[in-house]
PDB file of all heavy atoms in Angstrom:
ATOM      1  N   ALA B 293     177.347 198.665 -34.926  1.00 89.00           N
ATOM      2  CA  ALA B 293     176.105 198.370 -34.129  1.00 89.00           C
ATOM      3  C   ALA B 293     176.481 198.412 -32.599  1.00 89.00           C
ATOM      4  O   ALA B 293     175.721 199.031 -31.821  1.00 89.00           O
ATOM      5  CB  ALA B 293     175.588 197.054 -34.495  1.00 89.00           C
ATOM      6  N   LEU B 294     177.581 197.830 -32.284  1.00 87.00           N
ATOM      7  CA  LEU B 294     177.992 197.841 -30.852  1.00 87.00           C
ATOM      8  C   LEU B 294     178.249 199.243 -30.355  1.00 87.00           C
ATOM      9  O   LEU B 294     177.711 199.576 -29.230  1.00 87.00           O
ATOM     10  CB  LEU B 294     179.212 196.977 -30.678  1.00 87.00           C
ATOM     11  CG  LEU B 294     179.715 196.621 -29.314  1.00 87.00           C
ATOM     12  CD1 LEU B 294     178.611 195.787 -28.568  1.00 87.00           C
ATOM     13  CD2 LEU B 294     180.970 195.779 -29.397  1.00 87.00           C
ATOM     14  N   LEU B 295     178.903 200.060 -31.077  1.00 89.00           N
ATOM     15  CA  LEU B 295     179.222 201.362 -30.636  1.00 89.00           C
ATOM     16  C   LEU B 295     177.910 202.258 -30.664  1.00 89.00           C
ATOM     17  O   LEU B 295     177.767 203.124 -29.823  1.00 89.00           O
ATOM     18  CB  LEU B 295     180.247 202.013 -31.538  1.00 89.00           C
ATOM     19  CG  LEU B 295     181.645 201.455 -31.327  1.00 89.00           C
ATOM     20  CD1 LEU B 295     182.652 202.090 -32.319  1.00 89.00           C
ATOM     21  CD2 LEU B 295     182.187 201.690 -29.887  1.00 89.00           C
ATOM     22  N   TYR B 296     177.019 202.041 -31.665  1.00 88.00           N
ATOM     23  CA  TYR B 296     175.773 202.820 -31.680  1.00 88.00           C
ATOM     24  C   TYR B 296     174.914 202.545 -30.392  1.00 88.00           C
ATOM     25  O   TYR B 296     174.414 203.399 -29.755  1.00 88.00           O
ATOM     26  CB  TYR B 296     175.019 202.431 -32.909  1.00 88.00           C
ATOM     27  CG  TYR B 296     173.569 203.013 -32.903  1.00 88.00           C
ATOM     28  CD1 TYR B 296     173.351 204.380 -33.161  1.00 88.00           C
ATOM     29  CD2 TYR B 296     172.469 202.222 -32.585  1.00 88.00           C
ATOM     30  CE1 TYR B 296     172.104 204.952 -33.081  1.00 88.00           C
ATOM     31  CE2 TYR B 296     171.238 202.728 -32.584  1.00 88.00           C
ATOM     32  CZ  TYR B 296     171.044 204.114 -32.794  1.00 88.00           C
ATOM     33  OH  TYR B 296     169.745 204.646 -32.748  1.00 88.00           O
ATOM     34  N   PHE B 297     174.761 201.253 -30.073  1.00 85.00           N
ATOM     35  CA  PHE B 297     173.950 200.892 -28.958  1.00 85.00           C
ATOM     36  C   PHE B 297     174.615 201.298 -27.615  1.00 85.00           C
ATOM     37  O   PHE B 297     173.871 201.728 -26.703  1.00 85.00           O
ATOM     38  CB  PHE B 297     173.573 199.412 -28.914  1.00 85.00           C
ATOM     39  CG  PHE B 297     172.618 199.027 -29.956  1.00 85.00           C
ATOM     40  CD1 PHE B 297     172.961 198.111 -30.934  1.00 85.00           C
ATOM     41  CD2 PHE B 297     171.356 199.578 -29.986  1.00 85.00           C
ATOM     42  CE1 PHE B 297     172.021 197.785 -31.869  1.00 85.00           C
ATOM     43  CE2 PHE B 297     170.444 199.262 -30.927  1.00 85.00           C
ATOM     44  CZ  PHE B 297     170.721 198.362 -31.954  1.00 85.00           C
ATOM     45  N   LEU B 298     175.911 201.325 -27.605  1.00 84.00           N
ATOM     46  CA  LEU B 298     176.582 201.735 -26.457  1.00 84.00           C
ATOM     47  C   LEU B 298     176.403 203.204 -26.265  1.00 84.00           C
ATOM     48  O   LEU B 298     176.095 203.670 -25.109  1.00 84.00           O
ATOM     49  CB  LEU B 298     178.140 201.440 -26.595  1.00 84.00           C
ATOM     50  CG  LEU B 298     179.057 201.752 -25.403  1.00 84.00           C
ATOM     51  CD1 LEU B 298     178.698 200.818 -24.267  1.00 84.00           C
ATOM     52  CD2 LEU B 298     180.446 201.662 -25.812  1.00 84.00           C
ATOM     53  N   VAL B 299     176.591 204.023 -27.273  1.00 84.00           N
ATOM     54  CA  VAL B 299     176.436 205.521 -27.115  1.00 84.00           C
ATOM     55  C   VAL B 299     174.992 205.834 -26.846  1.00 84.00           C
ATOM     56  O   VAL B 299     174.660 206.707 -26.095  1.00 84.00           O
ATOM     57  CB  VAL B 299     176.976 206.180 -28.420  1.00 84.00           C
ATOM     58  CG1 VAL B 299     176.531 207.631 -28.473  1.00 84.00           C
ATOM     59  CG2 VAL B 299     178.513 206.044 -28.542  1.00 84.00           C
ATOM     60  N   TYR B 300     174.090 205.134 -27.567  1.00 83.00           N
ATOM     61  CA  TYR B 300     172.615 205.403 -27.367  1.00 83.00           C
ATOM     62  C   TYR B 300     172.233 205.171 -25.922  1.00 83.00           C
ATOM     63  O   TYR B 300     171.579 205.998 -25.346  1.00 83.00           O
ATOM     64  CB  TYR B 300     171.802 204.555 -28.330  1.00 83.00           C
ATOM     65  CG  TYR B 300     170.289 204.635 -28.110  1.00 83.00           C
ATOM     66  CD1 TYR B 300     169.593 205.765 -28.475  1.00 83.00           C
ATOM     67  CD2 TYR B 300     169.672 203.628 -27.459  1.00 83.00           C
ATOM     68  CE1 TYR B 300     168.199 205.887 -28.248  1.00 83.00           C
ATOM     69  CE2 TYR B 300     168.277 203.706 -27.178  1.00 83.00           C
ATOM     70  CZ  TYR B 300     167.626 204.797 -27.599  1.00 83.00           C
ATOM     71  OH  TYR B 300     166.232 204.891 -27.365  1.00 83.00           O
ATOM     72  N   SER B 301     172.547 204.020 -25.338  1.00 77.00           N
ATOM     73  CA  SER B 301     172.199 203.689 -24.049  1.00 77.00           C
ATOM     74  C   SER B 301     172.964 204.611 -22.959  1.00 77.00           C
ATOM     75  O   SER B 301     172.365 204.921 -21.976  1.00 77.00           O
ATOM     76  CB  SER B 301     172.508 202.221 -23.643  1.00 77.00           C
ATOM     77  OG  SER B 301     173.915 201.993 -23.725  1.00 77.00           O
ATOM     78  N   LEU B 302     174.146 205.052 -23.335  1.00 76.00           N
ATOM     79  CA  LEU B 302     174.938 205.919 -22.456  1.00 76.00           C
ATOM     80  C   LEU B 302     174.224 207.289 -22.416  1.00 76.00           C
ATOM     81  O   LEU B 302     174.065 207.875 -21.380  1.00 76.00           O
ATOM     82  CB  LEU B 302     176.322 206.043 -22.924  1.00 76.00           C
ATOM     83  CG  LEU B 302     177.210 206.883 -22.048  1.00 76.00           C
ATOM     84  CD1 LEU B 302     177.356 206.259 -20.657  1.00 76.00           C
ATOM     85  CD2 LEU B 302     178.628 207.064 -22.697  1.00 76.00           C
ATOM     86  N   LEU B 303     173.780 207.787 -23.599  1.00 76.00           N
ATOM     87  CA  LEU B 303     173.247 209.095 -23.653  1.00 76.00           C
ATOM     88  C   LEU B 303     171.801 209.130 -23.090  1.00 76.00           C
ATOM     89  O   LEU B 303     171.378 210.177 -22.571  1.00 76.00           O
ATOM     90  CB  LEU B 303     173.211 209.636 -25.071  1.00 76.00           C
ATOM     91  CG  LEU B 303     174.582 209.946 -25.719  1.00 76.00           C
ATOM     92  CD1 LEU B 303     174.394 210.412 -27.145  1.00 76.00           C
ATOM     93  CD2 LEU B 303     175.300 210.982 -24.898  1.00 76.00           C
ATOM     94  N   THR B 304     171.042 208.129 -23.160  1.00 81.00           N
ATOM     95  CA  THR B 304     169.710 208.144 -22.758  1.00 81.00           C
ATOM     96  C   THR B 304     169.397 207.634 -21.377  1.00 81.00           C
ATOM     97  O   THR B 304     168.389 208.016 -20.714  1.00 81.00           O
ATOM     98  CB  THR B 304     168.813 207.354 -23.728  1.00 81.00           C
ATOM     99  OG1 THR B 304     169.195 206.012 -23.847  1.00 81.00           O
ATOM    100  CG2 THR B 304     168.827 207.989 -25.116  1.00 81.00           C
ATOM    101  N   ARG B 305     170.254 206.693 -20.927  1.00 76.00           N
ATOM    102  CA  ARG B 305     169.875 206.049 -19.630  1.00 76.00           C
ATOM    103  C   ARG B 305     171.053 206.078 -18.524  1.00 76.00           C
ATOM    104  O   ARG B 305     170.998 205.226 -17.662  1.00 76.00           O
ATOM    105  CB  ARG B 305     169.574 204.587 -19.891  1.00 76.00           C
ATOM    106  CG  ARG B 305     168.305 204.437 -20.722  1.00 76.00           C
ATOM    107  CD  ARG B 305     167.830 203.012 -20.827  1.00 76.00           C
ATOM    108  NE  ARG B 305     166.598 202.867 -21.532  1.00 76.00           N
ATOM    109  CZ  ARG B 305     166.415 202.828 -22.817  1.00 76.00           C
ATOM    110  NH1 ARG B 305     167.516 202.839 -23.589  1.00 76.00           N
ATOM    111  NH2 ARG B 305     165.246 202.766 -23.331  1.00 76.00           N
ATOM    112  N   TRP B 306     171.863 206.936 -18.590  1.00 76.00           N
ATOM    113  CA  TRP B 306     173.046 207.005 -17.696  1.00 76.00           C
ATOM    114  C   TRP B 306     172.622 207.404 -16.312  1.00 76.00           C
ATOM    115  O   TRP B 306     173.219 207.050 -15.301  1.00 76.00           O
ATOM    116  CB  TRP B 306     174.141 207.912 -18.191  1.00 76.00           C
ATOM    117  CG  TRP B 306     173.773 209.348 -18.242  1.00 76.00           C
ATOM    118  CD1 TRP B 306     173.285 210.001 -19.332  1.00 76.00           C
ATOM    119  CD2 TRP B 306     174.044 210.280 -17.212  1.00 76.00           C
ATOM    120  NE1 TRP B 306     173.065 211.286 -18.989  1.00 76.00           N
ATOM    121  CE2 TRP B 306     173.534 211.547 -17.724  1.00 76.00           C
ATOM    122  CE3 TRP B 306     174.532 210.224 -15.928  1.00 76.00           C
ATOM    123  CZ2 TRP B 306     173.560 212.636 -16.966  1.00 76.00           C
ATOM    124  CZ3 TRP B 306     174.504 211.390 -15.183  1.00 76.00           C
ATOM    125  CH2 TRP B 306     174.065 212.614 -15.710  1.00 76.00           C
ATOM    126  N   GLN B 307     171.540 208.160 -16.120  1.00 73.00           N
ATOM    127  CA  GLN B 307     171.063 208.624 -14.790  1.00 73.00           C
ATOM    128  C   GLN B 307     170.642 207.513 -13.933  1.00 73.00           C
ATOM    129  O   GLN B 307     170.795 207.533 -12.740  1.00 73.00           O
ATOM    130  CB  GLN B 307     169.981 209.663 -14.873  1.00 73.00           C
ATOM    131  CG  GLN B 307     170.404 211.006 -15.404  1.00 73.00           C
ATOM    132  CD  GLN B 307     169.995 211.275 -16.816  1.00 73.00           C
ATOM    133  OE1 GLN B 307     169.480 210.349 -17.484  1.00 73.00           O
ATOM    134  NE2 GLN B 307     170.234 212.417 -17.302  1.00 73.00           N
ATOM    135  N   GLY B 308     170.056 206.426 -14.502  1.00 72.00           N
ATOM    136  CA  GLY B 308     169.632 205.353 -13.770  1.00 72.00           C
ATOM    137  C   GLY B 308     170.738 204.484 -13.102  1.00 72.00           C
ATOM    138  O   GLY B 308     170.572 203.815 -12.141  1.00 72.00           O
ATOM    139  N   TRP B 309     171.927 204.713 -13.703  1.00 72.00           N
ATOM    140  CA  TRP B 309     173.164 203.984 -13.108  1.00 72.00           C
ATOM    141  C   TRP B 309     173.675 204.729 -11.918  1.00 72.00           C
ATOM    142  O   TRP B 309     174.224 204.041 -11.011  1.00 72.00           O
ATOM    143  CB  TRP B 309     174.240 203.900 -14.182  1.00 72.00           C
ATOM    144  CG  TRP B 309     173.994 202.862 -15.237  1.00 72.00           C
ATOM    145  CD1 TRP B 309     173.268 203.028 -16.351  1.00 72.00           C
ATOM    146  CD2 TRP B 309     174.370 201.533 -15.210  1.00 72.00           C
ATOM    147  NE1 TRP B 309     173.273 201.861 -17.115  1.00 72.00           N
ATOM    148  CE2 TRP B 309     173.920 200.904 -16.369  1.00 72.00           C
ATOM    149  CE3 TRP B 309     175.083 200.731 -14.285  1.00 72.00           C
ATOM    150  CZ2 TRP B 309     174.125 199.551 -16.656  1.00 72.00           C
ATOM    151  CZ3 TRP B 309     175.329 199.407 -14.565  1.00 72.00           C
ATOM    152  CH2 TRP B 309     174.880 198.834 -15.769  1.00 72.00           C
ATOM    153  N   VAL B 310     173.631 206.003 -11.881  1.00 73.00           N
ATOM    154  CA  VAL B 310     174.344 206.781 -10.883  1.00 73.00           C
ATOM    155  C   VAL B 310     173.448 207.355  -9.784  1.00 73.00           C
ATOM    156  O   VAL B 310     173.869 208.115  -8.922  1.00 73.00           O
ATOM    157  CB  VAL B 310     175.179 207.873 -11.463  1.00 73.00           C
ATOM    158  CG1 VAL B 310     176.290 207.315 -12.339  1.00 73.00           C
ATOM    159  CG2 VAL B 310     174.363 208.840 -12.293  1.00 73.00           C
ATOM    160  N   GLU B 311     172.155 207.031  -9.744  1.00 74.00           N
ATOM    161  CA  GLU B 311     171.256 207.540  -8.692  1.00 74.00           C
ATOM    162  C   GLU B 311     171.331 206.592  -7.521  1.00 74.00           C
ATOM    163  O   GLU B 311     171.543 205.376  -7.625  1.00 74.00           O
ATOM    164  CB  GLU B 311     169.856 207.676  -9.233  1.00 74.00           C
ATOM    165  CG  GLU B 311     169.168 206.386  -9.601  1.00 74.00           C
ATOM    166  CD  GLU B 311     167.809 206.713 -10.166  1.00 74.00           C
ATOM    167  OE1 GLU B 311     167.461 207.799 -10.538  1.00 74.00           O
ATOM    168  OE2 GLU B 311     167.046 205.647 -10.310  1.00 74.00           O
ATOM    169  N   THR B 312     171.114 207.156  -6.338  1.00 71.00           N
ATOM    170  CA  THR B 312     171.196 206.348  -5.105  1.00 71.00           C
ATOM    171  C   THR B 312     169.889 205.713  -4.912  1.00 71.00           C
ATOM    172  O   THR B 312     168.864 206.270  -5.023  1.00 71.00           O
ATOM    173  CB  THR B 312     171.502 207.268  -3.880  1.00 71.00           C
ATOM    174  OG1 THR B 312     172.734 207.988  -4.164  1.00 71.00           O
ATOM    175  CG2 THR B 312     171.691 206.462  -2.649  1.00 71.00           C
ATOM    176  N   ARG B 313     169.984 204.368  -4.499  1.00 68.00           N
ATOM    177  CA  ARG B 313     168.805 203.568  -4.243  1.00 68.00           C
ATOM    178  C   ARG B 313     168.594 203.511  -2.683  1.00 68.00           C
ATOM    179  O   ARG B 313     169.508 203.758  -1.953  1.00 68.00           O
ATOM    180  CB  ARG B 313     168.888 202.162  -4.772  1.00 68.00           C
ATOM    181  CG  ARG B 313     169.271 202.168  -6.240  1.00 68.00           C
ATOM    182  CD  ARG B 313     168.106 202.448  -7.065  1.00 68.00           C
ATOM    183  NE  ARG B 313     168.531 202.405  -8.498  1.00 68.00           N
ATOM    184  CZ  ARG B 313     167.746 202.376  -9.545  1.00 68.00           C
ATOM    185  NH1 ARG B 313     166.432 202.308  -9.353  1.00 68.00           N
ATOM    186  NH2 ARG B 313     168.161 202.377 -10.779  1.00 68.00           N
ATOM    187  N   GLU B 314     167.391 203.075  -2.294  1.00 69.00           N
ATOM    188  CA  GLU B 314     167.094 202.897  -0.875  1.00 69.00           C
ATOM    189  C   GLU B 314     167.672 201.518  -0.364  1.00 69.00           C
ATOM    190  O   GLU B 314     167.360 200.534  -0.916  1.00 69.00           O
ATOM    191  CB  GLU B 314     165.605 202.921  -0.697  1.00 69.00           C
ATOM    192  CG  GLU B 314     164.967 204.259  -1.021  1.00 69.00           C
ATOM    193  CD  GLU B 314     165.247 205.350   0.002  1.00 69.00           C
ATOM    194  OE1 GLU B 314     165.447 205.026   1.207  1.00 69.00           O
ATOM    195  OE2 GLU B 314     165.344 206.515  -0.405  1.00 69.00           O
ATOM    196  N   GLY B 315     168.397 201.669   0.698  1.00 65.00           N
ATOM    197  CA  GLY B 315     168.845 200.355   1.406  1.00 65.00           C
ATOM    198  C   GLY B 315     169.528 199.366   0.459  1.00 65.00           C
ATOM    199  O   GLY B 315     170.548 199.647  -0.174  1.00 65.00           O
ATOM    200  N   TRP B 316     168.949 198.202   0.397  1.00 64.00           N
ATOM    201  CA  TRP B 316     169.501 197.062  -0.378  1.00 64.00           C
ATOM    202  C   TRP B 316     168.853 196.971  -1.759  1.00 64.00           C
ATOM    203  O   TRP B 316     169.025 195.975  -2.485  1.00 64.00           O
ATOM    204  CB  TRP B 316     169.307 195.779   0.404  1.00 64.00           C
ATOM    205  CG  TRP B 316     170.215 195.663   1.531  1.00 64.00           C
ATOM    206  CD1 TRP B 316     169.906 196.117   2.827  1.00 64.00           C
ATOM    207  CD2 TRP B 316     171.516 195.099   1.651  1.00 64.00           C
ATOM    208  NE1 TRP B 316     171.060 195.890   3.565  1.00 64.00           N
ATOM    209  CE2 TRP B 316     171.944 195.215   2.960  1.00 64.00           C
ATOM    210  CE3 TRP B 316     172.288 194.453   0.703  1.00 64.00           C
ATOM    211  CZ2 TRP B 316     173.230 194.751   3.323  1.00 64.00           C
ATOM    212  CZ3 TRP B 316     173.507 193.961   1.101  1.00 64.00           C
ATOM    213  CH2 TRP B 316     173.957 194.086   2.431  1.00 64.00           C
ATOM    214  N   GLU B 317     168.105 197.971  -2.144  1.00 64.00           N
ATOM    215  CA  GLU B 317     167.449 197.893  -3.463  1.00 64.00           C
ATOM    216  C   GLU B 317     168.431 198.035  -4.594  1.00 64.00           C
ATOM    217  O   GLU B 317     169.332 198.954  -4.594  1.00 64.00           O
ATOM    218  CB  GLU B 317     166.455 199.080  -3.552  1.00 64.00           C
ATOM    219  CG  GLU B 317     165.705 199.127  -4.857  1.00 64.00           C
ATOM    220  CD  GLU B 317     164.832 200.409  -4.990  1.00 64.00           C
ATOM    221  OE1 GLU B 317     164.655 201.130  -3.964  1.00 64.00           O
ATOM    222  OE2 GLU B 317     164.342 200.606  -6.016  1.00 64.00           O
ATOM    223  N   LEU B 318     168.298 197.227  -5.581  1.00 67.00           N
ATOM    224  CA  LEU B 318     169.152 197.200  -6.724  1.00 67.00           C
ATOM    225  C   LEU B 318     168.318 197.622  -7.905  1.00 67.00           C
ATOM    226  O   LEU B 318     167.101 197.399  -7.924  1.00 67.00           O
ATOM    227  CB  LEU B 318     169.744 195.797  -7.020  1.00 67.00           C
ATOM    228  CG  LEU B 318     170.782 195.301  -6.020  1.00 67.00           C
ATOM    229  CD1 LEU B 318     171.199 193.900  -6.396  1.00 67.00           C
ATOM    230  CD2 LEU B 318     172.025 196.194  -5.980  1.00 67.00           C
ATOM    231  N   PRO B 319     168.878 198.208  -8.957  1.00 69.00           N
ATOM    232  CA  PRO B 319     168.102 198.623 -10.154  1.00 69.00           C
ATOM    233  C   PRO B 319     167.600 197.380 -10.816  1.00 69.00           C
ATOM    234  O   PRO B 319     168.328 196.328 -10.949  1.00 69.00           O
ATOM    235  CB  PRO B 319     169.060 199.462 -10.931  1.00 69.00           C
ATOM    236  CG  PRO B 319     170.436 199.037 -10.466  1.00 69.00           C
ATOM    237  CD  PRO B 319     170.287 198.646  -9.042  1.00 69.00           C
ATOM    238  N   GLY B 320     166.455 197.506 -11.424  1.00 68.00           N
ATOM    239  CA  GLY B 320     165.895 196.343 -12.207  1.00 68.00           C
ATOM    240  C   GLY B 320     166.332 196.426 -13.624  1.00 68.00           C
ATOM    241  O   GLY B 320     167.129 197.248 -14.074  1.00 68.00           O
TER     242      GLY B 320
END
Side-chain angles (χ1 to χ4, degrees):
L294 192 60
L295 290 175
Y296 171 76
F297 287 119
L298 183 70
V299 169
Y300 173 75
S301 65
L302 182 66
L303 290 177
T304 59
R305 295 188 174 88
W306 67 271
Q307 288 104 354
W309 285 88
V310 295
E311 66 185 12
T312 303
R313 308 283 177 164
E314 295 288 328
W316 289 85
E317 179 186 350
L318 293 175

